[in-house]
Amino acid sequence: MSVAELLLNLIELQEVDKEIYALKRRFDEIPTRIKSLDLELENANFAVKTKDDELKAVQLKRKEKEIDLETKENSIKKFQGQLYQVKTNNEYNAIEKEIGGMKADKSLLEEEILGIFDKIETAEKNLAEAKKALTEDKKRIDSDKSGIESEKKEIEAKLVEFQEKRKTILPMIDKETLARYERILYGKDGLALVPVRGDNCGGCFVHLPPQVINEIRIKEQIIYCERCARMLYTEK
């Protein structure tokens, strides 16, 4: 087999290996993509929990204020009942003053409770929006995961197809050349054989001397790039 024929077989093998390496990279990215989607869903769930906790907190505060209000109202009634039992003006005035202070406190509590109702309404709205966003995110994420699963099966099928095609090419390359090609392929992330681009190596782009380019064109032996060690060929 001539070097020219060997290079044609190597070129065909490299094209297949490019596809295989590209497919494997896509396949290896799948767990990261799934993890990213899971994180999105986790964040959406956390947002719902946060908004739910905020709602519960203001609801609890409302109950506490309502208890304080009820306590204040009972105290006012108690002191109002005492007004009919006092015997002196001083005692009456003292109780009246106490009742006035409690009524002022009661008024403030009522205002606070009204403000809390507004906060509850806002918190309920925020929670509803977070739940809606969660539902939409879950629907989208489930769809994306389904798409990724289909893509995974497609990649697996194509990998089998290209691996089978690769097997048909291997017997057309001598063992020594194939062993060196595969060492370079592994070390250079799937790119062992590259064309000359202008006067440069198509792999590392180092400038190639005219003599080297002539040797590549003559095709009397396989020429390797001195910098990146890849096999070189000319497309013309």
Side-chain angles (χ1 to χ4, degrees), residues 76-100 103:
I76 290 170
K77 289 178 182 178
K78 178 183 176 182
F79 275 93
Q80 284 175 334
Q82 291 177 0
L83 284 174
Y84 302 103
Q85 299 173 9
V86 296
K87 297 179 179 179
T88 67
N89 286 335
N90 288 338
E91 289 177 328
Y92 187 91
N93 291 335
I95 293 174
E96 275 283 350
K97 185 178 180 180
E98 190 70 30
I99 292 173
K103 283 183 176 180

Side-chain angles (χ1 to χ4, degrees), residues 61-87:
K61 190 173 182 180
R62 183 201 67 189
K63 289 181 180 178
E64 290 173 349
K65 293 295 180 180
E66 286 176 342
I67 291 172
D68 290 343
L69 179 61
E70 184 180 357
T71 301
K72 195 66 66 177
E73 288 173 340
N74 289 336
S75 296
I76 290 170
K77 289 178 182 178
K78 178 183 176 182
F79 275 93
Q80 284 175 334
Q82 291 177 0
L83 284 174
Y84 302 103
Q85 299 173 9
V86 296
K87 297 179 179 179

Side-chain angles (χ1 to χ4, degrees), residues 7 39 45 50 85 96 109 136 150 155 176 182 190 204:
L7 280 169
L39 182 59
N45 275 304
T50 299
Q85 299 173 9
E96 275 283 350
L109 282 170
E136 292 173 352
S150 297
I155 290 171
E176 183 180 345
E182 291 192 328
C204 67

Side-chain angles (χ1 to χ4, degrees), residues 168-185:
T168 65
I169 304 170
L170 295 183
M172 296 186 287
I173 302 169
D174 66 272
K175 291 183 179 179
E176 183 180 345
T177 303
L178 180 61
R180 186 159 187 179
Y181 166 88
E182 291 192 328
R183 282 198 300 272
I184 301 169
L185 188 77

Side-chain angles (χ1 to χ4, degrees), residues 1-14 169-174 177 193 216-222 233-234:
M1 181 185 295
S2 68
V3 172
E5 290 172 323
L6 178 58
L7 280 169
L8 287 175
N9 293 331
L10 284 167
I11 290 169
E12 186 179 3
L13 179 61
Q14 178 64 87
I169 304 170
L170 295 183
M172 296 186 287
I173 302 169
D174 66 272
T177 303
L193 177 72
I216 296 168
R217 286 174 178 159
I218 292 169
K219 299 178 182 177
E220 290 183 351
Q221 60 180 321
I222 294 176
Y233 73 94
T234 55

Side-chain angles (χ1 to χ4, degrees), residues 72 76 98-111:
K72 195 66 66 177
I76 290 170
E98 190 70 30
I99 292 173
M102 287 187 288
K103 283 183 176 180
D105 293 341
K106 176 176 173 289
S107 179
L108 287 174
L109 282 170
E110 288 171 339
E111 288 181 12

